[in-house]
Amino acid sequence: MKPYGTYIFDIDGTLIRGNEALLGAVETLKHLRETNTQILLVTNNPAETKGEISKRLNQIGFEIRKQEIITPIDALKIYFQNHQPTILAITNNSIKEEMRNLGWQVVSEYTNSLPISYVLMGMSQEITYKDFVEGVRALDNGASLLGMNPDLFCPTQEGRVPDTGALLSCLELSTGQKATIVGKPTKWMRRAILSAIHHPVSQSVFIGDSPYTDLAMGVELGMDTVLLHTGITKYKNVELIHQPTRLLNDLQELYEAING
């Protein structure tokens, strides 16, 4: 395998499943760190802040800094550039707080007295039926629908759970409005990644388990790609629209290829 200056990894289904590191993941990142290779983690995780993600990864055994993580919030910053949106957020409370810290007006309920610019959906175990009702009301009164990521499910230790893409369908079907997605593999996430890499795309590689988000993101960036059989393809047969540069079972095979 040719050497790269920047290695970009997806997280869930690539490095970890739930709170367990996948085979070869810790060793691969440790080796890259020791060789002064740039590491970036680009996730569609809509439920955790960078601080929460880095803390969880470090507890598992990785050594990750917050500034090495790119999330849909980074894509939202680009999407809302030069705007001061009012957002009805159907997300975890920590995500709402992170958006407020960016200076955005974030609410959890629709009222006639406050025009809502956007209804933002992100996978959350805190979501209730009332949240969907509030979202429909805001959309019926002129708000635009945003999704933090398009993923239909997320792999966990216990199996898979519905992700943002599946939850968005309820609002889309109820209102007839199609959501705009900001996470991988969109142009807003592409711009967030390009602003963070230290090497040209020709010297960078994108590694993940999803052909729909990770492989597509790498192709959009013009990078080499590595698709792993550790996440999405474990649950469904996938017809690849794009062919990855390398197709591997897991990161143990990548570690061996890097050291081979």
Side-chain angles (χ1 to χ4, degrees):
M1 186 168 180
K2 81 175 190 181
Y4 297 96
T6 298
Y7 282 73
I8 304 173
F9 294 88
D10 172 52
I11 299 177
D12 294 288
T14 298
L15 298 177
I16 61 172
R17 184 174 297 118
N19 289 317
E20 289 186 356
L22 291 170
L23 184 65
V26 172
E27 295 80 5
T28 299
L29 266 64
K30 181 180 179 182
H31 172 75
L32 294 175
R33 186 85 67 196
E34 290 171 349
T35 57
N36 295 317
T37 304
Q38 184 188 20
I39 296 169
L40 287 177
L41 308 186
V42 179
T43 178
N44 265 352
N45 184 341
E48 293 178 293
T49 65
K50 292 183 184 183
E52 292 170 330
I53 293 170
S54 60
K55 180 179 179 181
R56 181 160 64 97
L57 289 173
N58 291 336
Q59 288 174 340
I60 294 171
F62 296 92
E63 295 180 8
I64 301 298
R65 310 177 190 102
K66 284 197 300 184
Q67 57 267 33
E68 294 175 322
I69 301 172
I70 296 174
T71 76
I73 293 292
D74 294 292
L76 272 177
K77 285 190 224 178
I78 296 171
Y79 185 88
F80 288 140
Q81 201 167 24
N82 302 321
H83 294 284
Q84 289 297 319
T86 301
I87 305 166
L88 192 156
I90 307 177
T91 66
N92 277 349
N93 287 327
S94 62
I95 298 297
K96 294 176 187 176
E97 190 59 31
E98 184 175 29
M99 291 191 290
R100 291 188 182 105
N101 291 338
L102 291 170
W104 303 336
Q105 187 167 13
V106 178
V107 300
S108 299
E109 295 182 354
Y110 173 77
T111 61
N112 292 327
S113 60
L114 180 65
I116 302 297
S117 313
Y118 299 94
V119 174
L120 176 67
M121 170 70 77
M123 176 183 68
S124 169
Q125 294 184 352
E126 299 167 5
I127 290 175
T128 67
Y129 180 74
K130 182 175 182 293
D131 290 313
F132 287 101
V133 172
E134 299 292 334
V136 168
R137 288 175 178 166
L139 292 169
D140 282 347
N141 284 276
S144 298
L145 181 59
L146 292 178
M148 294 184 74
N149 58 304
D151 306 79
L152 296 176
F153 61 86
C154 179
T156 72
Q157 288 165 274
E158 294 78 26
R160 54 179 172 161
V161 296
D163 208 327
T164 304
L167 299 173
L168 271 173
S169 64
C170 180
L171 294 177
E172 290 178 325
L173 290 170
S174 297
T175 65
Q177 185 174 156
K178 184 69 175 175
T180 297
I181 304 296
V182 297
K184 293 181 293 185
T186 68
K187 61 184 178 182
W188 300 289
M189 192 64 105
R190 182 176 71 239
R191 288 171 58 186
I193 294 168
L194 289 174
S195 69
I197 60 175
H198 295 165
H199 300 86
V201 294
S202 60
Q203 299 172 26
S204 306
V205 61
F206 203 109
I207 302 156
D209 69 290
S210 171
Y212 309 115
T213 57
D214 303 320
L215 178 55
M217 188 79 265
V219 170
E220 284 291 320
L221 288 161
M223 293 180 181
D224 284 353
T225 54
V226 175
L227 182 64
L228 306 176
H229 286 307
T230 51
I232 299 298
T233 57
K234 287 176 64 71
Y235 295 103
K236 60 187 296 187
N237 293 324
V238 174
E239 184 177 347
L240 297 181
I241 299 174
H242 308 288
Q243 288 300 317
T245 309
R246 297 287 294 267
L247 186 61
L248 302 175
N249 286 318
D250 50 42
L251 285 180
Q252 182 62 37
E253 289 190 2
L254 179 66
Y255 178 76
E256 292 168 359
I258 292 172
N259 286 278

